[in-house]
Amino acid sequence: MKVTKVLGLTGGIATGKSTVTNIFKKFNFPVISADEVAREVVEPGTNGLAQIVETFGEQFLNSDGTLNRSKLGKLVFSDHDKLDKLNDLLQPVIHHEIGRQITKLKENHPALIVLEIPLLFEQHNEEMVDYVMVVSTSDHDQLKRLKQRNGLSNEEASQRINSQIPLKDKINLADIVIDNSGSVEETRKQVVEWLANHNFIIIS
């Protein structure tokens, strides 16, 4: 029986990881989103949300008891110590849940599981994956996309980019780099080539 491999899909913020993830989905490979897991572990009633309130205060809750992610984001991305504190609270919980989901998916013996995990290197989760794919784009496009997507100022967007390991360093640690600075079709061709070279798909 073929052993399931896990691909860690990462990159800088707003480099286009979701575009690449959607390509894998179209080939019906199972995908785990670390961002979705991170949202689940801070839903109302969770221990994760309780720890955030205890550490940072109730002012980061919305009126319905959900986490005000935007307000908390502005705090932690402007204060590195507070960002470290938040990560120390949540990363063990997120890591455990991702591990549980990988184990569950492996029961169906897929050839490949894709773990979309923006902070793969920052959180030292390389041991969870067999391959690392980094999605890259130009610095200009990265800043522009982030500002447009999140409605951030130039300063706020730069703070979030600078809170992560520089993209060039991630590229140096990658098994494969996908250049997402062109069209979606150009990106797709790179992913398809990697899948074919590793015998995850057959191109006739």
Side-chain angles (χ1 to χ4, degrees), residues 57-149:
E58 292 187 357
Q59 67 267 31
F60 293 99
L61 291 178
N62 295 311
S63 58
D64 61 357
T66 58
L67 178 65
N68 188 323
R69 299 175 65 87
S70 176
K71 188 174 182 180
L72 183 62
K74 287 182 178 180
L75 172 72
V76 300
F77 287 115
S78 63
D79 187 324
H80 207 80
D81 289 340
K82 288 185 172 61
L83 179 60
D84 287 343
K85 187 175 290 187
L86 179 64
N87 286 331
D88 288 344
L89 286 176
L90 296 183
Q91 284 311 310
V93 184
I94 294 170
H95 186 277
H96 179 269
E97 176 59 19
I98 289 173
R100 187 195 68 79
Q101 290 191 21
I102 289 174
T103 299
K104 185 71 176 175
L105 286 172
K106 282 184 175 180
E107 292 177 1
N108 295 320
H109 309 292
L112 182 70
I113 295 170
V114 179
L115 171 59
E116 183 185 352
I117 180 165
L119 300 179
L120 174 70
F121 296 117
E122 287 84 351
Q123 304 302 337
H124 309 292
N125 286 322
E126 297 95 321
E127 83 285 351
M128 301 184 80
V129 304
D130 299 292
Y131 309 104
V132 175
M133 177 179 284
V134 168
V135 183
S136 73
T137 191
S138 69
D139 294 343
H140 174 269
D141 285 349
Q142 183 183 15
L143 185 64
K144 181 181 177 182
R145 288 174 184 173
L146 183 56
K147 287 167 63 179
Q148 291 178 342
R149 188 187 75 185

Side-chain angles (χ1 to χ4, degrees), residues 46-61 67 85 89:
T46 61
N47 186 50
L49 184 58
Q51 289 187 61
I52 288 175
V53 171
E54 182 179 342
T55 303
F56 297 101
E58 292 187 357
Q59 67 267 31
F60 293 99
L61 291 178
L67 178 65
K85 187 175 290 187
L89 286 176

